Amino acid sequence: MDERGLVERELWRVLEAVHAVVYFTAGSKEAYGELGLRGFWTGYFASRSAALGTPGPRLVTALFHGFAPRMVEKALPGAWAVADPARVLDARARLACAALAAHVTDASALAGAADRLAGVLAGLDVAGRPLAAAHLDVPAPADPLGRVWHAATVLREHRGDGHVAALVAAQVDGVEAHRLHRAALVERQREFRGWTDQEWADAADRLRARGLLDAAGEPTERGRDLRAGIERSTDLSAATALRALDDAALRGLLDALGPLARSVADGGAVPYPNAMGVARPGG
């Protein structure tokens, strides 16, 4: 990977951390609970999908890709009977700003990043990226911190949409995507994503039949190559979002937002490791 690619990869980790405070920060369960959304995962599914309106479990399972359908069905469509999507989105934005405010060290740099990200969103192509498109249609908050979080969310979903497309092209389904990681890393993902022991074992059998896992459940060389190819495809697809930024502007954006994301991680507002399986910024 060239120097720009390395900067882009780190920026994605930074944007992921900024975005994800709405799921993990202290008070998130209470904030969603006040709307009637009980439990971590109900708040997660409702808050992440509210930009789509009142989607049902089939659509959300398809777009989020890695979750067992029954897990999504526990949250949706029931969430929409107690919480209007507009209220969920408002609560989510307020929660994000409250969680991030304690980690801002340079307000001027943050304002500059907000303006630069606004320019990125203005030219963003969301063809084939439904979650990014839905969040792009959500009005951005007026303050710089809210604008940064909104942009991080749109760009995070833009990359995620591309990652799902890469997995589908590689013929890797939702449960198999987790099993392709090293065996030592995947067991908690089974629980996080709602798969049964049998579904987990069946996925391993399918991957072994393709020569992608060995008898011990570890990726083979072919499996590692496939996963690396999926990541390369994701990186190439995601890079289109940042192509309007020259190298200096890209580095400037990382320098402006890196301290915010690292403070979020160091302060525990987003834990690592976590259910998203994303690497820690600066790690």
Side-chain angles (χ1 to χ4, degrees):
M1 185 178 294
D2 62 16
E3 179 64 25
R4 182 178 175 93
L6 292 172
V7 174
E8 289 177 347
R9 176 67 65 84
E10 180 61 17
L11 181 59
W12 293 122
R13 294 175 179 176
V14 164
L15 293 172
E16 186 81 29
V18 171
H19 159 77
V21 293
V22 291
Y23 309 126
F24 298 107
T25 192
S28 58
K29 288 175 64 175
E30 291 78 8
Y32 298 131
E34 289 177 1
L35 301 177
L37 303 174
R38 306 301 181 188
F40 174 87
W41 286 110
T42 298
Y44 171 84
F45 288 120
S47 67
R48 190 178 168 202
S49 68
L52 297 162
T54 55
R58 188 185 302 276
L59 175 58
V60 170
T61 299
L63 295 180
F64 289 13
H65 187 268
F67 291 92
R70 77 183 65 82
M71 188 172 180
V72 186
E73 290 163 4
K74 291 178 181 178
L76 304 175
W80 312 129
V82 297
D84 177 77
R87 292 185 64 209
V88 175
L89 290 172
D90 180 63
R92 191 181 195 225
R94 286 188 284 106
L95 179 63
C97 289
L100 291 170
H103 301 283
V104 176
T105 58
D106 188 336
S108 177
L110 184 76
D115 290 342
R116 185 160 286 166
L117 286 168
V120 170
L121 295 193
L124 189 64
D125 181 1
V126 292
R129 300 180 190 266
L131 281 172
H135 286 88
L136 188 59
D137 275 348
V138 176
D143 62 290
L145 187 56
R147 291 165 60 209
V148 164
W149 176 79
H150 173 261
T153 296
V154 173
L155 293 172
R156 184 259 197 183
E157 298 295 7
H158 183 280
R159 180 180 175 83
D161 287 334
H163 186 57
V164 170
L167 288 165
V168 171
Q171 300 180 30
V172 174
D173 67 24
V175 60
E176 291 168 356
H178 303 299
R179 291 299 280 114
L180 269 177
H181 286 278
R182 288 182 56 233
L185 301 178
V186 300
E187 179 53 34
R188 291 196 70 194
Q189 289 299 94
R190 183 195 67 75
E191 178 183 351
F192 285 148
R193 303 305 176 108
W195 302 104
T196 66
D197 288 335
Q198 189 60 58
E199 289 166 334
W200 207 242
D202 289 346
D205 288 343
R206 294 194 298 273
L207 293 171
R208 287 190 189 99
R210 294 174 62 184
L212 302 175
L213 285 187
D214 63 20
E218 294 287 347
T220 61
E221 181 177 0
R222 183 176 175 184
R224 293 190 297 272
D225 287 345
L226 178 68
R227 181 155 189 85
I230 290 169
E231 294 302 320
R232 284 194 299 272
S233 178
T234 302
D235 286 340
L236 288 171
S237 175
T240 63
L242 305 174
R243 60 189 172 192
L245 300 175
D246 63 22
D247 291 351
L250 185 70
R251 169 57 73 176
L253 191 56
L254 178 59
D255 290 344
L257 296 180
L260 174 66
R262 290 190 292 273
S263 180
V264 163
D266 292 344
V270 176
Y272 293 88
N274 56 57
M276 299 180 300
V278 177
R280 182 188 185 97

